[in-house]
Amino acid sequence: MTNDEKRQTVTRHPSVMPIEVIAGFIAAVAAVFMLWFILSNEQSLIIVVLTGLVFALCLVVLLMLLLDPEPVRARQTDSMLQLSSSLVDLMSEGLDNKAANGICAKLLPNTSAIAVAITDRETILGYVGYLEAENPSGRAIRTQATRDTIEDGNIRVLYTAEEIGLPTNATMIQAAIIVPLRVGHEVRGTLKFYYRKAKQITETQRSIAQGFGSLISTELAAIELEEQRELTTVMELKMLQNQINPHFLFNTINTIASLIRTDPQKARELLREFAVFYRSTLENSQDLIEFSREVTQTQRYFMFEVARFGEDRLELEVDLWSDDALDDFPVEEIRVPPFLLQPLVENSVKHAMPAEGKLTVYITASADGQDLLVKVADDGVGMTEETRQNILHPESQTGLGIAVKNVHDRMCGYYGPDAEMCVESKLGEGTAVTLRFPNILIEESD
């Protein structure tokens, strides 16, 4: 071995051997020694009896371990679970260079390998062990076997340096296991274990390599799924923001223009509020805002509709404190996703207003255990049961359906499957949409 290779050899700390295995080994050695002692020495009866008792005890311990290996398996399983958990924690922000090196450092002492590496499709992400300094993060993949694994997605067990793609007489690495890291049908990289001798690749080593390769692949898929969910939520919000413009932009401008002659002061007030409204609409792209801000934005929207249709045709009533259970709870400070209430109120104005008479829209809040219920109701024309059943259907992509479905999907995206949207309606009597925020009273009160 050259001096450089010696410097590159990493001091490995093997896994702690289960105490049951140590006890079994000691018992076996002691039993053999005691048997030899009895047979090869003429001693007093007492010494022989005592030695025999120790021999018997050692045999009992050994038999117990052989007949009941469950404690050993339990310790090994617990060790693997803890290691798996620590690898998942390292990947909480994705599989970058820091995470990859951390994973390699944790895997190395739990295998017979002299080096562990992780790559993406082009470069080394992490490398720990023998020749570590020669394989820094960011270096291009050098071995043909790694490139072949990325290409065809097959696990490779290699027993010579030549098969790996390394110079035969210039390295201690003489065997390897290369596991593809998959997300769906696409290979995103590899997990590699390098060994000093081919005989070190046992069925246990294969299982470890394949198991941790699957674990890393699963976590990569989970991270990507979460990123896609967040992106989808943002895109849906942007779509909702853009959808607001054609709904009432020109109608509001026409309303303000008509008021310039008849009520200049009112026109100035509406124009000022209109600017505030749209600025807030564009700014409300963050994940969560205070509930009071969402209510204020909805009230501002409704003001333009009242200016358009008249106070004798539209009215909005907001009551967030009528439930005694919320007397001491700051409902207005609860943080919620933006654009939950306004699309529902807008739907009432667009679809529930009767041909004659007044439409009143109500926004109320109540407690149901630790859940917060927010209801948007109207006394308008209502809808048929068929229409009510269809508005949450995935195929509903226009009009009433797309706005309600968008709110429903974002509720589930932020609060999980316990979040609910309940739509009740009677033809000729009105519609009520209730949003359930699960366990939010616990979170906000802590």
Side-chain angles (χ1 to χ4, degrees), residues 415-431:
Y415 299 103
D418 291 334
E420 295 178 357
M421 170 184 280
C422 177
V423 181
E424 301 172 290
S425 185
K426 287 187 177 181
L427 198 61
E429 296 184 16
T431 300

Side-chain angles (χ1 to χ4, degrees), residues 6 57 77 116 167 183 185 187 201 205 256 258 260 294 347 358 399 401 403 405 424:
K6 290 179 181 179
L57 179 62
T77 301
V116 178
V183 176
H185 297 293
V187 177
I201 299 181
Q205 293 299 304
I256 294 173
S258 66
I260 290 175
E294 175 68 6
N347 272 341
K358 188 175 187 178
K405 182 179 181 298
E424 301 172 290

Side-chain angles (χ1 to χ4, degrees), residues 146-164:
T146 302
R147 289 191 285 268
D148 290 343
T149 299
I150 293 172
E151 183 66 26
D152 61 26
N154 295 324
I155 296 176
R156 279 177 165 74
V157 181
L158 310 167
Y159 296 101
T160 66
E162 185 179 3
E163 286 183 296
I164 299 170

Side-chain angles (χ1 to χ4, degrees), residues 183-415:
V183 176
H185 297 293
E186 182 181 356
V187 177
R188 296 294 178 84
T190 64
L191 172 64
K192 303 189 288 185
F193 297 84
Y194 291 121
Y195 301 87
R196 185 180 280 105
K197 298 176 182 179
K199 66 181 181 180
Q200 291 178 306
I201 299 181
T202 63
E203 285 302 317
T204 299
Q205 293 299 304
R206 293 189 189 195
S207 296
I208 289 174
Q210 189 168 358
F212 284 111
S214 297
L215 174 68
I216 295 172
S217 295
T218 300
E219 187 62 17
L220 283 174
I223 292 170
E224 185 166 299
L225 183 63
E226 177 64 18
E227 290 174 349
Q228 289 176 347
R229 186 198 69 81
E230 292 177 357
L231 179 61
T232 299
T233 300
V234 171
M235 292 302 294
E236 287 179 346
L237 181 56
K238 289 296 184 183
M239 179 182 66
L240 199 58
Q241 288 174 321
N242 293 334
Q243 185 187 3
I244 293 170
N245 294 329
H247 275 255
F248 75 109
L249 172 61
F250 293 109
N251 285 331
T252 303
I253 291 175
N254 288 335
T255 299
I256 294 173
S258 66
L259 287 171
I260 290 175
R261 294 182 180 179
T262 59
D263 193 344
Q265 181 61 30
K266 182 67 174 178
R268 282 193 292 270
E269 292 176 3
L270 284 177
L271 189 59
R272 184 168 54 250
E273 290 297 325
F274 195 57
V276 174
F277 173 81
Y278 263 93
R279 186 180 302 114
S280 181
T281 296
L282 296 175
E283 289 174 353
N284 281 355
S285 58
Q286 60 208 66
D287 280 348
L288 299 173
I289 63 174
E290 288 188 348
F291 186 62
S292 58
R293 183 173 173 182
E294 175 68 6
V295 172
T296 299
Q297 182 73 347
T298 302
Q299 290 173 314
R300 188 173 284 120
Y301 156 78
F302 202 84
M303 178 181 61
F304 303 129
E305 298 290 31
V306 170
R308 176 187 172 195
F309 291 102
E311 295 181 0
D312 59 334
R313 294 277 284 147
L314 279 176
E315 182 180 358
L316 176 65
E317 295 186 7
V318 177
D319 186 0
L320 305 180
W321 304 273
S322 56
D323 189 339
D324 293 340
L326 298 175
D327 281 347
D328 299 321
F329 192 85
V331 176
E332 64 278 1
E333 296 179 9
I334 291 175
R335 299 185 68 79
V336 300
F339 295 99
L340 287 186
L341 300 183
Q342 183 186 323
L344 303 180
V345 171
E346 186 175 353
N347 272 341
S348 292
V349 174
K350 289 180 61 179
H351 301 285
M353 186 180 295
E356 297 180 355
K358 188 175 187 178
L359 173 71
T360 303
V361 182
Y362 308 88
I363 300 176
T364 59
S366 60
D368 183 11
Q370 300 298 336
D371 297 352
L372 176 67
L373 305 182
V374 177
K375 180 182 290 187
V376 177
D378 64 63
D379 58 0
V381 298
M383 66 183 78
T384 64
E385 179 61 18
E386 181 181 2
T387 302
R388 190 191 72 84
Q389 291 285 350
N390 287 338
I391 61 174
L392 291 179
H393 195 276
E395 299 297 325
S396 183
Q397 294 294 320
T398 58
L400 178 66
I402 191 171
V404 175
K405 182 179 181 298
N406 187 290
V407 172
H408 178 257
D409 289 348
R410 288 192 297 121
M411 284 282 294
C412 293
Y414 279 97
Y415 299 103

Side-chain angles (χ1 to χ4, degrees), residues 22-34 55 58-59 61-62:
I22 297 174
F25 177 76
I26 293 174
V29 173
V32 172
F33 175 78
M34 291 301 173
F55 172 71
C58 292
L59 284 180
V61 172
L62 184 59

